[in-house]
Each structure stands twice: as C-alpha cells, then as structure tokens.
Amino acid sequence: DTAVSQTPKYLVTQMGNDKSIKCEQNLGHDTMYWYKQDSKKFLKIMFSYNNKELIINETVPNRFSPKSPDKAHLNLHINSLELGDSAVYFCASSQAYTNGRDTQYFGPGTRLTVL
Amino acid sequence: QKEVEQNSGPLSVPEGAIASLNCTYSDRVSQSFFWYRQYSGKSPELIMSIYSNGDKEDGRFTAQLNKASQYVSLLIRDSQPSDSATYLCAATREGAQKLVFGQGTRLTINP
C-alpha cells in the first residue's frame, strides 16, 4: 500500500508551459507539504496545508499555486515554466501541524525537467 | 548563518567502522531534530528523531543532541554498504511542523 503517492514520476516540458503535479496520501494525516529539491540535493519547503487550509507559503513565485481539494490531496500547479524550475518535487504528509515532533512521510518525488 | 548546516562530504568509511555525521543549527530552529536517509533517486525516509539533550539509540544508529553547543550528530555502528546514502539533518521550530533541512552529507561505505 502506497502511503504518499505522486503523479507523474517524470515530467519533461518546454519553457513557458503550464503543468500540474498531483499528490495523495492514504495515512489519514491532516497536514501535507510540497518540497523542492534542487540539483545540489538541497531540500526546501514550499507550501503546507492543514485540513485544506494554507499554513506555510515560503518565498515562492506566484507561478506556483497549490490546491487542496480535501485533506488527502494536495496538487501543485506551475504556470509559465522556467529553466530554474527544473528539480525534484516531493510531497509529504504528517499527522498534525501543531506538534513539531510529527514524522513527515515523503512521496516518491516528481522529477521536473524544463527544456 | 544557515539555519541547519552539514558538511556535504563525501564521507568515506570502511565497512564495519563507525560513521559519524554532524550537523549544527542556529537559534532560529531549536526544538526537534531529525535525521533522514535518502538513497540516490529515492525519497527521504526518517531514521531517527531527537528532542532532548543526550543520546538516543535505535539499533545501529545513535543520535546525539547538545543544545548548549547547538550540535546534533548521527553515529552508525558496524557500517554496511547498504548505509551508503545521503543523510539529511532537519530541524523544526517550536510548535510548528516547518522542517528546515541541511544540505545533506553523502556517505559511502567501502566494502
């Protein structure tokens, strides 16, 4: 059983296109996250949702728009893709937001390549 | 100063030896600490978490936290080639689930 799943696993697209990445968790968690891991393997948080409500919005360009239709799903839409958006995007989830000790479980990642 | 800092390595250790991974952190993150392991092309997975000063052991892994020195480490005893991976140190702020990661240390265990 997959706990946190993402689609697609690979995404290759041209500059200027719009693309979406989908994430689903079946752990019953309240909180979900999007992380970006660059070519140097540095992992940085982008967004977090708790029960469909946006609670963390790091300094991310407006071209990135997360959407959470329900607490089991968190999607990431990216407009006008740029070369610098090429990275691996990880979705994660945790039981709750207020407890800083909750384990975050990561999805398999989506490798985005912008040509 | 970065919030969480690690030596990016690579760190090379012979099989069977102790691998020691280190991490320092700033005042901006000081509550809960985590070590994640990430194999090449895979997602991070949690190995250990530590919240209080001192040592915490789990099998071959020991996490050490020293809040006075703002230092957290991970020891891997009896290192195996399967331990070869990038190890990510992460910390959260009080009352928040915002994980801040270090840049990771690439560890290679040589048979």
Side-chain angles (χ1 to χ4, degrees):
Chain A
D1 287 343
T2 304
V4 183
S5 59
Q6 294 178 230
T7 54
K9 189 168 176 60
Y10 300 97
L11 189 51
V12 181
T13 188
Q14 298 288 332
M15 267 197 315
N17 284 350
D18 303 338
K19 290 294 178 186
S20 292
I21 306 171
K22 295 187 176 183
C23 178
E24 176 181 0
Q25 55 96 2
N26 63 5
L27 297 167
H29 288 167
D30 287 342
T31 309
M32 296 184 72
Y33 313 79
W34 278 112
Y35 287 87
K36 178 181 180 181
Q37 188 169 45
D38 61 25
S39 56
K40 294 182 179 179
K41 305 298 184 187
F42 189 59
L43 193 60
K44 189 169 185 207
I45 191 165
M46 301 171 69
F47 302 102
S48 178
Y49 271 74
N50 186 57
N51 273 323
K52 302 192 297 178
E53 183 181 341
L54 181 65
I55 49 174
I56 294 176
N57 186 348
E58 289 294 285
T59 309
V60 178
N62 290 339
R63 299 182 295 103
F64 290 79
S65 53
K67 280 192 173 50
S68 182
D70 55 61
K71 73 174 191 177
H73 295 85
L74 179 62
N75 303 322
L76 183 65
H77 187 76
I78 314 171
N79 289 324
S80 303
L81 279 156
E82 299 177 358
L83 293 176
D85 298 331
S86 296
V88 181
Y89 292 84
F90 286 102
C91 177
S93 73
S94 67
Q95 182 62 52
Y97 177 69
T98 55
N99 182 343
R101 299 182 176 187
D102 282 344
T103 300
Q104 293 191 21
Y105 296 87
F106 285 78
T110 296
R111 182 174 293 276
L112 171 64
T113 303
V114 182
L115 303 175
Chain B
Q1 182 191 3
K2 290 182 182 176
E3 293 177 281
V4 178
E5 289 203 68
Q6 295 178 254
N7 186 331
S8 60
L11 176 65
S12 188
V13 173
E15 185 176 356
I18 296 175
S20 178
L21 302 157
N22 304 314
C23 174
T24 58
Y25 60 91
S26 73
D27 288 337
R28 287 173 289 175
V29 293
S30 60
Q31 295 303 316
S32 303
F33 301 89
F34 305 84
W35 283 100
Y36 281 81
R37 178 176 62 198
Q38 186 176 22
Y39 291 115
S40 181
K42 301 296 185 183
S43 57
E45 56 176 333
L46 183 70
I47 302 174
M48 295 278 288
S49 58
I50 187 165
Y51 318 119
S52 306
N53 270 332
D55 294 359
K56 179 181 177 183
E57 188 174 318
D58 184 0
R60 296 186 297 112
F61 299 96
T62 299
Q64 299 174 318
L65 176 59
N66 183 327
K67 290 192 175 183
S69 301
Q70 294 182 294
Y71 177 95
V72 58
S73 65
L74 179 70
L75 300 178
I76 307 174
R77 289 182 299 282
D78 188 24
S79 297
Q80 303 296 311
S82 59
D83 295 326
S84 297
T86 296
Y87 288 80
L88 303 168
C89 175
T92 58
R93 300 192 182 116
E94 182 175 6
Q97 278 290 96
K98 181 178 174 180
L99 264 182
V100 180
F101 284 86
Q103 64 267 46
T105 298
R106 188 158 58 91
L107 172 66
T108 300
I109 307 300
N110 300 309

